[in-house]
Amino acid sequence: MTAPLLRLLVALTVVLTAGCSVLGPATAPAPGSPTRAELEQLLGQVRVVPERPRPGGYERGCKDGKGCVFGESWTDASDAPGGHDGCDTRNNVLAAQLTAVRFRPGTRNCVVLAGGLDDPYTGTHITFDKSDARAVQIDHVFPLAAAWDLGAAAWPQARRVRFANDVTVNLVATAGATNQAKSDGTPGEWLPPATSGHCFYAGKYLTVAADYDLPLTAADSAALRDIAARCP
């Protein structure tokens, strides 16, 4: 082997080794994440529209003079799973998604005082304490404002209230700062900060869209297809 060729092989080895150290091992998807095949199946079930319409009339607030279009926040008075069980929706989500949950005595295991959250959006473990309740917030995976614009404006009020309190598909406990940063963003505008949460988030978003016959915008569809292509 000539000296120039030997130097070239050494240089390539250094580059490839450096590249491997930068890229590192693939990040494992968050627990509960769907497979690529499952996401592609969901994508095939959901309608796509060119862009998000803006029909107007969205008023989340329920004070006098406000539209209260999705009902009182975290109301127990809905036909969603967990409705009419004596606990508000927020506490139902915390009880279902936190570990080592501790309840306030005398509330029949309703009011969550403490627990641990393995946050699928940030990939971190958060210790929840009710004294700092805003540290863990509840995200509507398919945002209420987006749902309103994409079809919920035409729904009966009872269906909108169910949607806003559907513990099984549309609600995820996450870090408060992450929930605030998301606001009413959809997949074309916002993704979980931890890439390990992308497949999980895509699965939840598509499941809500399929269950409630809500369409995706073209931008959201493209973002979700890109995520699906990178899921195991």
Side-chain angles (χ1 to χ4, degrees):
M1 182 180 294
T2 63
L5 181 56
L6 179 59
R7 286 195 296 270
L8 177 59
L9 289 174
V10 171
L12 286 172
T13 301
V14 170
V15 170
L16 290 172
T17 302
C20 290
S21 65
V22 170
L23 294 175
T27 303
S33 298
T35 65
R36 178 190 309 174
E38 290 169 332
L39 288 177
E40 289 175 346
Q41 183 177 26
L42 285 167
L43 281 161
Q45 297 174 17
V46 181
R47 295 176 291 122
V48 178
V49 297
E51 58 186 21
R52 178 173 165 177
R54 302 286 178 172
Y58 174 72
E59 285 189 337
R60 176 70 171 122
C62 292
K63 293 182 179 179
D64 290 345
K66 297 295 183 180
C68 199
V69 296
F70 283 93
E72 294 281 351
S73 295
W74 311 135
T75 180
D76 187 40
S78 81
D79 63 356
H84 301 288
D85 67 350
C87 297
D88 65 83
T89 303
R90 174 180 162 83
N91 276 297
N92 281 339
V93 175
L94 293 175
Q97 298 182 16
L98 270 58
T99 59
V101 176
R102 185 160 55 84
F103 295 97
R104 176 179 291 165
T107 63
R108 298 181 180 179
N109 287 353
C110 178
V111 179
V112 175
L113 291 180
L117 173 66
D118 292 320
D119 184 357
Y121 287 177
T122 65
T124 62
H125 183 82
I126 301 171
T127 299
F128 170 76
D129 190 287
K130 191 169 175 60
S131 63
D132 185 21
R134 289 185 61 81
V136 172
Q137 297 181 14
I138 310 302
D139 174 47
H140 287 96
V141 179
F142 202 120
L144 299 185
W148 175 268
D149 290 346
L150 289 162
W155 293 351
Q157 177 75 354
R159 181 172 173 82
R160 292 199 294 265
V161 173
R162 176 187 175 87
F163 178 84
N165 294 277
D166 193 332
V167 174
T168 58
V169 298
N170 198 29
L171 299 176
V172 170
T174 186
T178 301
N179 187 52
Q180 294 296 313
K182 180 191 175 189
S183 186
D184 67 346
T186 57
E189 305 161 327
W190 181 91
L191 292 175
T195 56
S196 60
H198 287 187
C199 300
F200 174 88
Y201 169 69
K204 296 291 285 186
Y205 196 94
L206 286 166
T207 298
V208 179
D211 283 5
Y212 284 88
D213 191 28
L214 288 166
L216 306 175
T217 65
D220 292 340
S221 177
L224 292 169
R225 286 189 180 280
D226 182 62
I227 291 172
R230 291 181 278 110
C231 294

